[in-house]
Amino acid sequence: MTALVWADAATPEEGAEQAAALFRETFDYEPRGVWSAPGRVNIIGEHVDYNGGPCLPIALPHRAFVALSPRADRMVRLVSTQTRAAVDVLDLDTLGPKGTPGEVTNHWTAYLAGVAWALDRAGYGPLRGFDAALWSCVPLGAGLSSSAALECATAVALDEVCSLGLAGTVEAPDDEGRKVLVEAAQAAENQIAGANTGGLDQTASLRCREGHALALDCRDMSTRQVPFDLGAVGLELLVIDTRAKHSLADGQYGSRRADCEESARILGVDQLVDVEDVDEASAALGGERLAARTRHVVSEIARTRAFIELLDEGPLEGVRVAVAGALMNDSHDSLRDDYEVSCEELDVAVEAARAAGAYGARMTGGGFGGSAIALVSADAVLGVARAVADAYEARGWQAPHFIRALPGAPAGRLS
Ligand code: ADP
Ligand code: MG
């Protein structure tokens, strides 16, 4: 029996010290401050963001920490322990979108420098250049949004050192101002890093609150805080990082979006969130593939609304936890069978978690690898994790990593 691998979050003090130490050692002076932003996990509402549907993310306790100081010129110097030790130097006057002469070739630096570029473009510039050191404990490429964490930590840092007045504080966030930062972070990811994603990740990182899930309506990006204090009712959310990443992920994401757009066009609606009768829609779509995609989107939107209503009624106790678990299970089955974005590693994790007593389990994020989540009573967490790890070992797969997720704080400077 191999040991379970827990990918625990660093404490805010540890993370801040790691980033500050890297800054000092690289640039040989004290950073102005350290800002951080969380990764996220989506509880339910998968592959509906780009169809105008609702989703329900929480901020993870895992954060990216950016130690930063503004410069007098427009240069950006960046360093991260996790990628490589060498300092990357960029110029805000010449950097530009993917596919243009100013494109950023070193991927990870695009996420940071891209935020300054986007704020410039949004009329908040010209921003000063900066020196920054990055340290993060958000698992990379696990579908937990390590990329948005980088962008959002940079966004709140630049907000403060350039006196943009948009973010407020962690304790008293300025939700309107943060919408502007969400857009800048998303523009950095879409245009400078060249990754075609919606605004869910950045919204979660900047606008979630501790102890709450964020009910996000992706039609207009309006939000509502929903109490989600699992600890108070003896529950935990176990995140299972499968450590698998299948090369199909990017192409399949694009083709699912295209399927949804085509379905909406045939049905004569703006977005699939506007479909009223799924049986009628299926008949109109004819082809089995588009009908199945639409079935997932419409049913997932209904499940997410039901889940949010459950949380509004009260804590997840008694019959409510059973219903919540069933909604999560149905979500996974729909993503596996109708949307076809799961994979063996995700299915095995979900099946093993359910068999070991989880109330519900599902893949989360884009699919084809990444992470699954399980809603588990606190005293069953170890047993469920063990069952998943054993199922992986029996297949000769690399060991999954586990996270116990409690809803954490949004991006900002932690005291
Ligand atoms: P996810 O956001 O789900 O973790 P992405 O592929 O969107 O997956 O983002 C992962 C990318 O983010 C990495 O390839 C790297 O470029 C960047 N990244 C994340 N964390 C770090 C880090 N600590 N140091 C350097 N780059 C990082
Ligand atoms: Mg990402």
Side-chain angles (χ1 to χ4, degrees):
M1 212 165 68
T2 51
L4 296 175
V5 186
W6 293 94
D8 292 330
T11 65
E13 297 74 27
E14 260 176 293
E17 189 38 46
Q18 291 280 357
L22 178 62
F23 187 101
R24 272 183 228 113
E25 155 191 323
T26 308
F27 302 118
D28 214 22
Y29 69 99
E30 278 296 315
R32 173 76 62 85
V34 181
W35 292 260
S36 64
R40 61 98 191 93
V41 69
N42 193 25
I43 299 162
I44 195 161
E46 216 65 74
H47 281 283
V48 297
D49 54 343
Y50 50 83
N51 290 298
C55 45
L56 192 66
I58 60 169
L60 288 172
H62 299 65
R63 302 174 76 88
F65 296 81
V66 170
L68 183 145
S69 280
R71 295 171 55 92
D73 58 16
R74 294 261 292 163
M75 303 306 286
V76 175
R77 296 192 296 172
L78 299 172
V79 66
S80 158
T81 32
Q82 277 105 331
T83 45
R84 52 190 179 116
V87 178
D88 259 86
V89 182
L90 300 156
D91 182 348
L92 289 179
D93 283 329
T94 57
L95 74 85
K98 264 268 162 308
T100 67
E103 79 172 5
V104 180
T105 47
N106 188 359
H107 203 58
W108 76 271
T109 61
Y111 296 111
L112 287 91
V115 176
W117 172 88
L119 285 168
D120 268 353
R121 291 246 316 203
Y124 292 89
L127 256 57
R128 294 165 69 176
F130 55 93
D131 291 336
L134 164 71
W135 187 89
S136 172
C137 63
V138 183
L140 230 107
L144 302 175
S145 217
S146 68
S147 61
L150 310 190
E151 296 147 14
C152 297
T154 308
V156 290
L158 293 177
D159 176 66
E160 190 172 330
V161 303
C162 300
S163 306
L164 306 183
L166 293 167
T169 62
V170 171
E171 297 74 25
D174 174 346
D175 206 48
E176 282 306 311
R178 283 175 181 243
K179 289 183 191 169
V180 176
L181 298 180
V182 167
E183 275 172 27
Q186 192 189 344
E189 178 135 359
N190 294 162
Q191 300 187 51
I192 305 299
N196 176 22
T197 56
L200 161 62
D201 301 351
Q202 295 81 6
T203 301
S205 188
L206 280 155
R207 298 176 65 195
C208 277
R209 302 272 173 93
E210 200 159 1
H212 292 76
L214 186 73
L216 169 63
D217 183 341
C218 295
R219 203 202 293 261
D220 57 7
M221 299 313 262
S222 60
T223 60
R224 194 162 63 79
Q225 303 292 335
V226 186
F228 193 59
D229 187 358
L230 293 176
V233 286
L235 293 174
E236 286 194 26
L237 195 70
L238 179 69
V239 180
I240 305 152
D241 171 5
T242 66
R243 319 261 294 141
K245 186 166 172 71
H246 296 289
S247 53
L248 344 148
D250 290 349
Q252 293 289 336
Y253 179 80
S255 90
R256 291 305 177 282
R257 284 188 78 140
D259 282 352
C260 291
E261 279 160 25
E262 192 184 345
S263 302
R265 190 180 51 73
I266 294 170
L267 297 170
V269 292
D270 252 11
Q271 289 181 295
L272 290 183
V273 69
D274 299 322
V275 170
E276 272 162 19
D277 186 321
V278 74
D279 294 326
E280 248 171 49
S282 293
L285 288 167
E288 188 43 41
R289 192 184 84 241
L290 293 185
R293 304 295 189 242
T294 301
R295 202 156 56 227
H296 166 71
V297 172
V298 174
S299 64
E300 183 76 357
I301 287 172
R303 281 187 289 273
T304 307
R305 288 182 178 148
F307 201 104
I308 294 168
E309 268 171 37
L310 264 186
L311 294 182
D312 281 337
E313 282 168 21
L316 288 182
E317 289 174 301
V319 74
R320 272 198 297 275
V321 68
V323 175
L327 289 169
M328 291 170 70
N329 287 339
D330 290 349
S331 168
H332 182 81
D333 297 352
S334 172
L335 287 156
R336 181 192 60 208
D337 301 336
D338 279 342
Y339 218 63
E340 297 182 273
V341 291
S342 190
C343 63
E344 229 189 323
E345 292 88 344
L346 286 166
D347 291 341
V348 166
V350 162
E351 290 304 329
R354 288 177 187 169
Y359 289 108
R362 58 180 290 273
M363 56 161 277
T364 182
F368 303 105
S371 297
I373 53 172
L375 184 65
V376 186
S377 82
D379 51 21
V381 168
L382 289 182
V384 169
R386 166 81 356 230
V388 174
D390 286 350
Y392 271 50
E393 199 179 3
R395 286 166 179 78
W397 296 346
Q398 63 175 330
H401 288 187
F402 298 99
I403 286 174
R404 306 168 92 135
L406 290 175
R413 200 209 274 251
L414 295 176
S415 43

